[in-house]
mmCIF file of all heavy atoms in Angstrom:
data_model
loop_
_atom_site.group_PDB
_atom_site.id
_atom_site.type_symbol
_atom_site.label_atom_id
_atom_site.label_comp_id
_atom_site.label_asym_id
_atom_site.label_seq_id
_atom_site.Cartn_x
_atom_site.Cartn_y
_atom_site.Cartn_z
ATOM 1 N N VAL V 33 -60.618 11.402 -3.909
ATOM 2 C CA VAL V 33 -61.428 12.612 -3.793
ATOM 3 C C VAL V 33 -61.083 13.485 -4.997
ATOM 4 O O VAL V 33 -59.913 13.844 -5.182
ATOM 5 C CB VAL V 33 -61.139 13.350 -2.472
ATOM 6 C CG1 VAL V 33 -61.959 14.630 -2.391
ATOM 7 C CG2 VAL V 33 -61.443 12.446 -1.281
ATOM 8 N N TYR V 34 -62.066 13.820 -5.809
ATOM 9 C CA TYR V 34 -61.751 14.458 -7.086
ATOM 10 C C TYR V 34 -62.921 15.278 -7.611
ATOM 11 O O TYR V 34 -64.048 15.198 -7.110
ATOM 12 C CB TYR V 34 -61.386 13.387 -8.120
ATOM 13 C CG TYR V 34 -62.544 12.501 -8.510
ATOM 14 C CD1 TYR V 34 -63.243 12.707 -9.705
ATOM 15 C CD2 TYR V 34 -62.966 11.464 -7.689
ATOM 16 C CE1 TYR V 34 -64.308 11.902 -10.060
ATOM 17 C CE2 TYR V 34 -64.028 10.657 -8.032
ATOM 18 C CZ TYR V 34 -64.699 10.871 -9.222
ATOM 19 O OH TYR V 34 -65.767 10.079 -9.573
ATOM 20 N N HIS V 35 -62.619 16.060 -8.644
ATOM 21 C CA HIS V 35 -63.628 16.765 -9.423
ATOM 22 C C HIS V 35 -63.731 16.067 -10.778
ATOM 23 O O HIS V 35 -62.726 15.968 -11.489
ATOM 24 C CB HIS V 35 -63.242 18.226 -9.644
ATOM 25 C CG HIS V 35 -63.371 19.103 -8.440
ATOM 26 N ND1 HIS V 35 -64.518 19.797 -8.147
ATOM 27 C CD2 HIS V 35 -62.505 19.380 -7.438
ATOM 28 C CE1 HIS V 35 -64.355 20.486 -7.027
ATOM 29 N NE2 HIS V 35 -63.129 20.243 -6.571
ATOM 30 N N PRO V 36 -64.897 15.565 -11.156
ATOM 31 C CA PRO V 36 -65.033 14.975 -12.495
ATOM 32 C C PRO V 36 -64.914 16.051 -13.571
ATOM 33 O O PRO V 36 -65.391 17.173 -13.387
ATOM 34 C CB PRO V 36 -66.443 14.373 -12.470
ATOM 35 C CG PRO V 36 -67.174 15.157 -11.437
ATOM 36 C CD PRO V 36 -66.159 15.548 -10.401
ATOM 37 N N ILE V 70 -58.059 15.724 -5.974
ATOM 38 C CA ILE V 70 -57.801 16.563 -4.815
ATOM 39 C C ILE V 70 -57.038 15.772 -3.756
ATOM 40 O O ILE V 70 -56.081 16.251 -3.162
ATOM 41 C CB ILE V 70 -59.121 17.106 -4.228
ATOM 42 C CG1 ILE V 70 -59.818 18.011 -5.256
ATOM 43 C CG2 ILE V 70 -58.870 17.886 -2.928
ATOM 44 C CD1 ILE V 70 -59.029 19.260 -5.619
ATOM 45 N N LEU V 89 -66.969 22.303 3.505
ATOM 46 C CA LEU V 89 -66.478 22.976 2.310
ATOM 47 C C LEU V 89 -67.502 24.023 1.879
ATOM 48 O O LEU V 89 -68.701 23.869 2.127
ATOM 49 C CB LEU V 89 -66.274 21.984 1.165
ATOM 50 C CG LEU V 89 -65.198 20.916 1.332
ATOM 51 C CD1 LEU V 89 -65.187 20.004 0.112
ATOM 52 C CD2 LEU V 89 -63.826 21.527 1.543
ATOM 53 N N ARG V 92 -69.686 26.332 -3.208
ATOM 54 C CA ARG V 92 -69.201 26.310 -4.600
ATOM 55 C C ARG V 92 -68.356 25.083 -4.894
ATOM 56 O O ARG V 92 -68.102 24.772 -6.049
ATOM 57 C CB ARG V 92 -68.422 27.583 -4.927
ATOM 58 C CG ARG V 92 -67.195 27.824 -4.078
ATOM 59 C CD ARG V 92 -66.670 29.228 -4.270
ATOM 60 N NE ARG V 92 -65.501 29.486 -3.440
ATOM 61 C CZ ARG V 92 -64.342 29.908 -3.910
ATOM 62 N NH1 ARG V 92 -64.208 30.122 -5.197
ATOM 63 N NH2 ARG V 92 -63.336 30.134 -3.108
ATOM 64 N N SER V 93 -67.913 24.352 -3.839
ATOM 65 C CA SER V 93 -67.141 23.131 -4.058
ATOM 66 C C SER V 93 -67.976 22.031 -4.700
ATOM 67 O O SER V 93 -67.421 21.086 -5.261
ATOM 68 C CB SER V 93 -66.559 22.616 -2.737
ATOM 69 O OG SER V 93 -65.542 23.465 -2.260
ATOM 70 N N LYS V 94 -69.295 22.110 -4.591
ATOM 71 C CA LYS V 94 -70.141 21.086 -5.213
ATOM 72 C C LYS V 94 -70.777 21.586 -6.504
ATOM 73 O O LYS V 94 -71.651 20.933 -7.060
ATOM 74 C CB LYS V 94 -71.229 20.619 -4.234
ATOM 75 C CG LYS V 94 -72.273 21.649 -3.872
ATOM 76 C CD LYS V 94 -73.364 21.003 -3.012
ATOM 77 C CE LYS V 94 -74.458 21.993 -2.643
ATOM 78 N NZ LYS V 94 -75.538 21.364 -1.845
ATOM 79 N N GLU V 95 -70.316 22.745 -6.968
ATOM 80 C CA GLU V 95 -70.824 23.312 -8.204
ATOM 81 C C GLU V 95 -69.775 23.206 -9.301
ATOM 82 O O GLU V 95 -68.598 22.949 -9.043
ATOM 83 C CB GLU V 95 -71.221 24.774 -7.984
ATOM 84 C CG GLU V 95 -72.311 24.967 -6.926
ATOM 85 C CD GLU V 95 -72.522 26.423 -6.559
ATOM 86 O OE1 GLU V 95 -71.724 27.266 -7.044
ATOM 87 O OE2 GLU V 95 -73.454 26.711 -5.795
ATOM 88 N N GLU V 125 -59.559 23.416 -0.617
ATOM 89 C CA GLU V 125 -60.127 22.095 -0.317
ATOM 90 C C GLU V 125 -59.055 21.171 0.263
ATOM 91 O O GLU V 125 -59.313 20.423 1.219
ATOM 92 C CB GLU V 125 -60.730 21.490 -1.589
ATOM 93 C CG GLU V 125 -61.995 22.196 -2.051
ATOM 94 C CD GLU V 125 -62.479 21.720 -3.404
ATOM 95 O OE1 GLU V 125 -61.714 21.008 -4.099
ATOM 96 O OE2 GLU V 125 -63.608 22.061 -3.778
ATOM 97 N N ILE V 129 -59.091 19.450 4.108
ATOM 98 C CA ILE V 129 -58.957 18.008 4.317
ATOM 99 C C ILE V 129 -57.752 17.707 5.206
ATOM 100 O O ILE V 129 -57.841 16.930 6.163
ATOM 101 C CB ILE V 129 -58.842 17.281 2.962
ATOM 102 C CG1 ILE V 129 -60.164 17.412 2.187
ATOM 103 C CG2 ILE V 129 -58.502 15.816 3.164
ATOM 104 C CD1 ILE V 129 -60.088 16.921 0.755
ATOM 105 N N GLY V 181 -66.894 19.246 -12.483
ATOM 106 C CA GLY V 181 -68.079 19.183 -11.650
ATOM 107 C C GLY V 181 -67.714 19.298 -10.183
ATOM 108 O O GLY V 181 -66.554 19.486 -9.817
ATOM 109 N N GLY V 182 -68.719 19.192 -9.326
ATOM 110 C CA GLY V 182 -68.497 19.324 -7.895
ATOM 111 C C GLY V 182 -67.646 18.204 -7.324
ATOM 112 O O GLY V 182 -67.592 17.093 -7.869
ATOM 113 N N ILE V 183 -66.973 18.497 -6.215
ATOM 114 C CA ILE V 183 -66.093 17.530 -5.582
ATOM 115 C C ILE V 183 -66.876 16.292 -5.158
ATOM 116 O O ILE V 183 -68.032 16.375 -4.729
ATOM 117 C CB ILE V 183 -65.379 18.169 -4.361
ATOM 118 C CG1 ILE V 183 -64.222 17.283 -3.880
ATOM 119 C CG2 ILE V 183 -66.360 18.443 -3.230
ATOM 120 C CD1 ILE V 183 -63.342 17.957 -2.841
ATOM 121 N N THR V 184 -66.265 15.134 -5.323
ATOM 122 C CA THR V 184 -66.899 13.877 -4.957
ATOM 123 C C THR V 184 -65.814 12.880 -4.568
ATOM 124 O O THR V 184 -64.622 13.196 -4.615
ATOM 125 C CB THR V 184 -67.753 13.335 -6.120
ATOM 126 O OG1 THR V 184 -68.491 12.191 -5.684
ATOM 127 C CG2 THR V 184 -66.891 12.953 -7.306
ATOM 128 N N GLN V 185 -66.219 11.677 -4.189
ATOM 129 C CA GLN V 185 -65.237 10.639 -3.870
ATOM 130 C C GLN V 185 -65.749 9.299 -4.349
ATOM 131 O O GLN V 185 -66.920 8.969 -4.226
ATOM 132 C CB GLN V 185 -64.918 10.609 -2.387
ATOM 133 C CG GLN V 185 -66.088 10.613 -1.447
ATOM 134 C CD GLN V 185 -65.667 10.779 0.000
ATOM 135 O OE1 GLN V 185 -64.589 10.376 0.423
ATOM 136 N NE2 GLN V 185 -66.519 11.395 0.788
ATOM 137 N N PHE V 201 -68.407 15.065 3.511
ATOM 138 C CA PHE V 201 -68.370 16.483 3.195
ATOM 139 C C PHE V 201 -69.693 17.151 3.561
ATOM 140 O O PHE V 201 -70.770 16.619 3.316
ATOM 141 C CB PHE V 201 -68.086 16.703 1.713
ATOM 142 C CG PHE V 201 -66.679 16.363 1.308
ATOM 143 C CD1 PHE V 201 -66.433 15.370 0.372
ATOM 144 C CD2 PHE V 201 -65.602 17.016 1.867
ATOM 145 C CE1 PHE V 201 -65.140 15.050 -0.009
ATOM 146 C CE2 PHE V 201 -64.306 16.710 1.502
ATOM 147 C CZ PHE V 201 -64.076 15.728 0.569
ATOM 148 N N PHE V 203 -71.479 20.839 2.827
ATOM 149 C CA PHE V 203 -71.349 22.018 1.982
ATOM 150 C C PHE V 203 -72.173 23.151 2.580
ATOM 151 O O PHE V 203 -73.404 23.104 2.591
ATOM 152 C CB PHE V 203 -71.797 21.709 0.557
ATOM 153 C CG PHE V 203 -71.000 20.611 -0.092
ATOM 154 C CD1 PHE V 203 -71.461 19.306 -0.102
ATOM 155 C CD2 PHE V 203 -69.772 20.885 -0.671
ATOM 156 C CE1 PHE V 203 -70.725 18.291 -0.693
ATOM 157 C CE2 PHE V 203 -69.025 19.888 -1.267
ATOM 158 C CZ PHE V 203 -69.496 18.581 -1.276
#
Side-chain angles (χ1 to χ4, degrees):
V33 178
Y34 67 101
H35 287 269
I70 297 297
L89 295 178
R92 60 192 179 125
S93 290
K94 67 174 181 178
E95 300 170 353
E125 290 172 348
I129 293 171
I183 193 170
T184 187
Q185 48 188 330
F201 289 119
F203 300 97

